[in-house]
Amino acid sequence: MSPPSPLRRYNNLLHEQNAWDFTGTPYVPVYVKLPLGIINMECELVDPDGLRKQLETLKSIDVDGVMVDTWWGIVEANDPQQYNWKDRHGNRNTECLTWGIDEEPVLRGRTAVQVYFEYMQSFRDEFSELFNTRSISKIQIGLGACGELRYPSNPAKRGWKYPGIGEFQCYDKYLRKCLEEAAKAIGLPKWGNPPEGAGSYNSQPVETDFFCYHGEYRTPYGRFFLKWYSQYLIDHGDRVLAKAKLAFGDVPLSVKLLGMYWWYESASHAPELTAGYYNWANRDGYAPIVSMLKRHEATLNFACAEHYIVWPTDVDPEGLFWQVLNAAWDANIPVASENALPCYELNGSNGYNKLLEHAKPRNFPVPRHISAFNYVGFNQALLEQVNFREFRRFVKRMHGEAVQYEDLLN
């Protein structure tokens, strides 16, 4: 079969553009997250000249900025209060400290919250010039696994695979002590143990006593445990964000949540529960999180912006996405979003169209739009001609600009 003629190709693209035309819509800034591998294990830039060229290329299409990770476990790896800021671009640290030592002085006389505060103060001092010139415009505070506000309930390095329900993360001696104290406080010390029969990382809800349809999560004990488990996560976020406000002053803060959308249509919402989001058919688990973020004037960055994984489970990423965004918008806090996978791997323009529709929903009764979009997946493949052309068009449409004839064909 011969390829379509340029005129036919143009007509097809024009039809697509009209169907997904965002000309004149609100300006949504686009930030690109830099990859973790741009430095080596000696905290040195691998290819400074190459990175500079890539940044210049991004600037040429009016990308609004970049995101850069820094990790406490890397920066303060050697000695207490000795910070290695040569690691300005960070490496992913797959572990996080238990929330149980937030206020326990077990880190050579320091609590975990004190450690985080001193780390944030050091960052603010080290990069004071960038803060003063507003080159650093926002700080996203990591509050759990992979920098997200959640328990590390589904670690791939421990064997978890999609769509496993994950496991509760409250078995260390500190959190077990906290649970025991919470149970004693209500006069039911026998409830001071984590659930039995909650399955393993790759279980399905029906295979467990806790998450099955009439499972223990519905019982008085189950409700007590899940409320304690989720509230401990929220309290952890509250403590760290309070210190972040002290360290960074009026610099806007952001907190990332992960969209645990598999099994969302099941009764128990097991993956959300093990992650610390007490959300199921009869309870909105995101409103309490949003209330905590609102107290600190923090943006909610929700990582569930495009949905492509198909699996024979009770999956509804779309429903979860709008539940979380509506909870945030009802509380009048800003919402940002980001993609989970590079769009060029997922049918290019269709993937971008879904991200745009979520960023600027056109069928809402009240006009709404996200405050920013973070693009994850920056690499050499994105800069290839076809992929980069799609990305350039995406940035234009996020900015509310018209996509012209030459943009469609080039």
Side-chain angles (χ1 to χ4, degrees):
M1 180 180 295
S2 60
S5 66
L7 180 59
R8 183 177 179 182
R9 180 167 171 251
Y10 167 71
N11 287 334
N12 289 341
L13 289 170
L14 186 61
H15 174 75
E16 175 192 329
Q17 181 195 16
N18 290 335
W20 298 92
D21 184 11
F22 289 86
T23 305
T25 57
Y27 186 105
V28 173
V30 177
Y31 299 90
V32 174
K33 184 175 181 179
L34 296 183
L36 299 173
I38 61 176
I39 67 166
N40 58 26
M41 295 305 294
E42 285 71 43
C43 298
E44 299 170 337
L45 281 173
V46 174
D47 182 10
D49 292 335
L51 177 61
R52 185 176 295 107
K53 291 178 182 177
Q54 291 175 339
L55 293 176
E56 290 172 350
T57 301
L58 291 175
K59 185 177 180 179
S60 72
I61 62 169
D62 296 325
V63 165
D64 296 270
V66 295
M67 294 182 65
V68 182
D69 283 340
T70 66
W71 297 89
W72 166 74
I74 300 295
V75 175
E76 198 180 350
N78 297 321
D79 294 295
Q81 299 175 304
Q82 298 298 313
Y83 303 98
N84 176 13
W85 287 113
K86 293 179 180 179
D87 181 14
R88 298 191 178 195
H89 299 284
N91 278 311
R92 184 172 296 277
N93 185 343
T94 57
E95 302 297 325
C96 57
L97 298 177
T98 173
W99 317 159
I101 64 169
D102 274 2
E103 298 178 302
E104 294 285 340
V106 297
L107 300 173
R108 296 192 184 181
R110 296 186 297 166
T111 68
V113 170
Q114 184 179 355
V115 166
Y116 303 147
F117 179 51
E118 292 171 355
Y119 165 66
M120 290 186 285
Q121 284 183 312
S122 174
F123 181 85
R124 181 67 173 84
D125 294 341
E126 179 71 20
F127 300 105
S128 58
E129 183 177 348
L130 296 179
F131 280 100
N132 293 338
T133 60
R134 295 293 179 178
S135 296
I136 296 178
S137 59
K138 181 175 288 189
I139 299 289
Q140 184 160 288
I141 305 298
L143 296 174
C146 298
E148 298 151 353
L149 177 62
R150 65 180 178 91
Y151 290 95
S153 57
N154 60 337
K157 288 188 176 181
R158 291 184 177 267
W160 174 86
K161 295 181 180 178
Y162 177 89
I165 61 173
E167 294 184 10
F168 290 117
Q169 302 292 308
C170 56
Y171 294 93
D172 65 86
K173 65 179 181 180
Y174 300 104
L175 282 179
R176 290 191 71 118
K177 179 183 176 182
C178 294
L179 177 57
E180 290 170 2
E181 292 175 349
K184 290 178 182 176
I186 62 170
L188 292 168
K190 64 180 180 180
W191 284 2
N193 293 303
E196 297 180 0
S200 59
Y201 287 125
N202 295 314
S203 298
Q204 297 186 13
V206 70
E207 299 171 342
T208 73
D209 294 330
F210 192 84
F211 295 114
C212 64
Y213 185 71
H214 290 292
E216 195 176 15
Y217 76 95
R218 293 174 175 266
T219 66
Y221 161 74
R223 292 170 184 265
F224 158 78
F225 170 77
L226 290 171
K227 184 176 180 181
W228 170 83
Y229 186 71
S230 62
Q231 189 60 49
Y232 215 94
L233 176 70
I234 294 171
D235 291 345
H236 166 72
D238 194 28
R239 288 189 285 265
V240 178
L241 286 176
K243 295 299 185 182
K245 291 287 287 186
L246 288 176
F248 298 120
D250 61 350
V251 179
L253 302 179
S254 176
V255 170
K256 182 177 175 181
L257 269 64
L258 180 64
M260 315 288 287
Y261 58 82
W262 51 103
W263 301 110
Y264 180 78
E265 289 190 337
S266 67
S268 64
H269 293 227
E272 293 170 87
L273 300 187
T274 59
Y277 306 151
Y278 188 7
N279 186 62
W280 57 292
N282 298 317
R283 190 179 193 277
D284 181 359
Y286 297 99
I289 297 174
V290 165
S291 295
M292 182 271 291
L293 297 180
K294 185 176 178 66
R295 289 197 297 273
H296 300 286
E297 301 177 306
T299 294
L300 188 159
N301 177 22
F302 192 52
C304 188
E306 90 287 32
H307 317 125
Y308 296 97
I309 300 176
V310 178
W311 201 275
T313 62
D314 294 326
V315 174
D316 186 11
E318 195 83 7
L320 175 59
F321 182 82
W322 292 120
Q323 179 188 353
V324 173
L325 262 68
N326 281 325
W329 283 337
D330 287 347
N332 293 315
I333 70 169
V335 182
S337 68
E338 65 181 49
N339 57 307
L341 296 171
C343 285
Y344 57 79
E345 295 179 359
L346 303 165
N347 196 14
S349 60
N350 288 336
Y352 287 127
N353 287 342
K354 176 64 73 173
L355 295 173
L356 284 153
E357 184 62 32
H358 285 160
K360 309 177 186 184
R362 292 177 288 189
N363 297 321
F364 255 54
V366 178
R368 298 282 195 182
H369 64 87
I370 63 173
S371 61
F373 181 82
N374 306 321
Y375 184 84
V376 179
F378 176 64
N379 54 26
Q380 195 58 41
L382 178 67
L383 300 177
E384 294 176 0
Q385 183 177 4
V386 174
N387 295 334
F388 195 67
R389 180 177 67 229
E390 291 281 359
F391 183 65
R392 182 183 65 180
R393 292 177 59 206
F394 168 71
V395 173
K396 281 180 172 288
R397 293 195 290 166
M398 274 290 189
H399 289 171
E401 299 176 15
V403 179
Q404 304 297 332
Y405 173 85
E406 58 270 17
D407 294 314
L408 294 171
L409 292 182
N410 297 320

